[in-house]
Amino acid sequence: WYKTLTSLSLQTLLFEMGDPNLSSLSLQTLLSEKVGQLMDWTGRRAVIRMNGEKFRRFVKAPPRNYSVVIMFTALQPQRQCGVCKQADEEYQILANSWRYSTAFTNKVFFATVDFDEGSDVFQMLNMNSAPSFIHFPAKGKPKKSDSYELQVRGFAAEQLARWVGDRTDVQIRVIRPPNYAGPLMLGFLLAVIGGLAYLRRNNLEFLYNKNVWAFSALCFCLIMTSGQMWNHIRGPPYAHKNPTTGQVSYIHGSSQAQFVAETHIVLFFNSAVTMGMVLLHEAATSDMDIGKRKIMCVAGIGLVMLFFSWLLSIFRAKYHGYPYSFLLS
């Protein structure tokens, strides 16, 4: 492949210099060699690993009649980019779904550029964050819509496939490898519930316990209102680490997206506010002595005020311009 790449580099250089001896037949030959080389690499790995030289020859330099979707990432351990690893797994699923599809053609290729292998490419494109996805069309330069909005749409393979379809008219049916963890966990949970019901088959009064059902319903509501379903559909990153400063953000700055860590924080805050309300209710209605009821009342008020104030601060951080605050500005 080295000889092929050297030959392609020479022919591409002549084309860029406007060599009059490079006929249309030569251009077609050059294009065929480039496509053939990309097809060969794709046959070995669904995602082509590119450095600066490969990027300039096969993506930037004409002639080209194919699109290239590139994931710019930083997978080396010293970069400590957990999001990059998660996004790479989804990207590999997307590329393999296309590679082994019956509709596979040489119209679209998938590639990656790692920062430690192609830092010059990052500098060329003025990129300072990873992971990022850019579509390089067959003709012309990438437009704004050719840059994938990762923080809005997440990096799930299905979302990436929709974006690729919008940019290239190539529809990719994502095929995930079988994952038996979910069915096994569900089977284990049902077995535990069935076992407990069998052991207490002579006394099933706990099934009519209002507190058990109330607690179960409350947990379900807290999980749903924290944004867990959105995470399941969109597949957002857990958090975002700025590769330049190293600062980790757990709260997304936009109202149109969120991180997984953000939903965990909101779930905890909502649970704390709910616990405060329960304590206030018990303090007002229970038959305990007055001293314990006062403690419950003070604790309930403290939980509601403190954690509701933090919830409001998160809301203000995401919805810029929201004028109201409570305790915390």
Side-chain angles (χ1 to χ4, degrees), residues 102-119:
T102 56
F104 174 72
T105 64
N106 57 13
K107 186 177 180 179
V108 180
F109 294 99
F110 291 89
T112 59
V113 175
D114 193 282
F115 180 78
D116 291 283
E117 298 175 358
S119 58

Side-chain angles (χ1 to χ4, degrees), residues 38-108:
L38 289 171
M39 289 292 288
D40 180 60
W41 285 333
T42 303
R44 301 174 189 177
R45 296 183 58 179
V47 177
I48 302 170
R49 294 181 61 175
M50 287 190 173
N51 53 22
E53 183 179 2
K54 289 182 180 179
F55 177 81
R56 285 186 288 272
R57 299 295 177 238
F58 292 92
V59 179
K60 294 291 289 183
R64 183 160 55 87
N65 64 352
Y66 51 85
S67 296
V68 183
V69 178
I70 298 184
M71 174 184 173
F72 296 89
T73 185
L75 292 173
Q76 296 301 317
Q78 66 268 21
R79 299 300 173 186
Q80 298 181 351
C81 183
V83 179
C84 295
K85 296 179 180 179
Q86 299 174 28
D88 182 68
E89 292 176 359
E90 293 294 312
Y91 191 59
Q92 294 287 342
I93 291 174
L94 172 65
N96 279 290
S97 298
W98 171 238
R99 169 64 185 83
Y100 296 103
S101 169
T102 56
F104 174 72
T105 64
N106 57 13
K107 186 177 180 179
V108 180

Side-chain angles (χ1 to χ4, degrees), residues 7-316:
S7 174
L8 290 174
S9 301
L10 179 58
Q11 294 181 55
T12 303
L13 179 60
L14 292 174
F15 178 86
E16 291 176 339
M17 294 175 61
D19 189 345
N21 297 320
L22 199 59
S23 64
S24 59
L25 181 59
S26 299
L27 293 178
Q28 187 63 36
T29 302
L30 173 59
L31 179 60
S32 298
E33 290 180 352
K34 292 174 69 174
V35 172
Q37 183 64 74
L38 289 171
M39 289 292 288
D40 180 60
W41 285 333
T42 303
R44 301 174 189 177
R45 296 183 58 179
V47 177
I48 302 170
R49 294 181 61 175
M50 287 190 173
N51 53 22
E53 183 179 2
K54 289 182 180 179
F55 177 81
R56 285 186 288 272
R57 299 295 177 238
F58 292 92
V59 179
K60 294 291 289 183
R64 183 160 55 87
N65 64 352
Y66 51 85
S67 296
V68 183
V69 178
I70 298 184
M71 174 184 173
F72 296 89
T73 185
L75 292 173
Q76 296 301 317
Q78 66 268 21
R79 299 300 173 186
Q80 298 181 351
C81 183
V83 179
C84 295
K85 296 179 180 179
Q86 299 174 28
D88 182 68
E89 292 176 359
E90 293 294 312
Y91 191 59
Q92 294 287 342
I93 291 174
L94 172 65
N96 279 290
S97 298
W98 171 238
R99 169 64 185 83
Y100 296 103
S101 169
T102 56
F104 174 72
T105 64
N106 57 13
K107 186 177 180 179
V108 180
F109 294 99
F110 291 89
T112 59
V113 175
D114 193 282
F115 180 78
D116 291 283
E117 298 175 358
S119 58
D120 52 335
V121 180
F122 278 72
Q123 295 176 0
M124 183 192 309
L125 300 177
N126 295 320
M127 299 183 63
N128 56 10
S129 64
S132 298
F133 299 89
I134 298 180
H135 164 248
F136 293 86
K139 296 181 180 179
K141 296 181 179 180
K143 302 177 181 178
K144 183 178 181 180
S145 54
D146 287 309
S147 295
Y148 182 72
E149 296 178 326
L150 177 65
Q151 295 184 349
V152 175
R153 305 179 68 170
F155 50 69
E158 291 78 7
Q159 291 292 333
L160 288 168
R162 294 190 188 98
W163 171 67
V164 171
D166 292 339
R167 306 312 308 154
T168 65
D169 293 328
V170 171
Q171 304 303 320
I172 303 175
R173 180 170 174 248
V174 175
I175 301 176
R176 293 182 175 274
N179 184 358
Y180 301 105
L184 286 176
M185 288 299 297
L186 179 60
F188 176 76
L189 179 61
L190 293 176
V192 170
I193 294 175
L196 291 175
Y198 177 78
L199 292 174
R200 300 193 61 177
R201 59 187 180 276
N202 297 322
N203 183 14
L204 298 178
E205 293 182 0
F206 72 95
L207 293 176
Y208 302 96
N209 190 310
K210 294 182 179 180
N211 292 331
V212 172
W213 289 105
F215 179 77
S216 301
L218 183 60
C219 290
F220 178 80
C221 292
L222 288 172
I223 292 173
M224 291 297 103
T225 56
S226 66
Q228 297 297 328
M229 187 59 67
W230 195 93
N231 291 344
H232 179 73
I233 296 173
R234 294 295 186 91
Y238 186 81
H240 176 71
K241 182 177 181 180
N242 190 313
T244 303
T245 63
Q247 182 179 1
V248 179
S249 300
Y250 298 102
I251 306 296
H252 198 286
S254 170
S255 61
Q256 302 299 317
Q258 66 184 23
F259 297 132
V260 174
E262 182 178 331
T263 63
H264 296 166
I265 295 172
V266 171
L267 173 62
F268 176 74
F269 286 179
N270 281 332
S271 300
V273 172
T274 303
M275 178 60 69
M277 298 298 294
V278 171
L279 288 175
L280 288 174
H281 177 268
E282 289 297 316
T285 59
S286 68
D287 297 329
M288 292 186 294
D289 63 83
I290 190 67
K292 292 182 178 179
R293 292 170 65 183
K294 286 182 179 179
I295 294 175
M296 293 174 64
C297 182
V298 172
I301 293 175
L303 285 173
V304 172
M305 293 179 62
L306 180 62
F307 286 96
F308 180 77
S309 177
W310 278 339
L311 279 172
L312 202 58
S313 297
I314 294 176
F315 188 83
R316 283 168 54 87

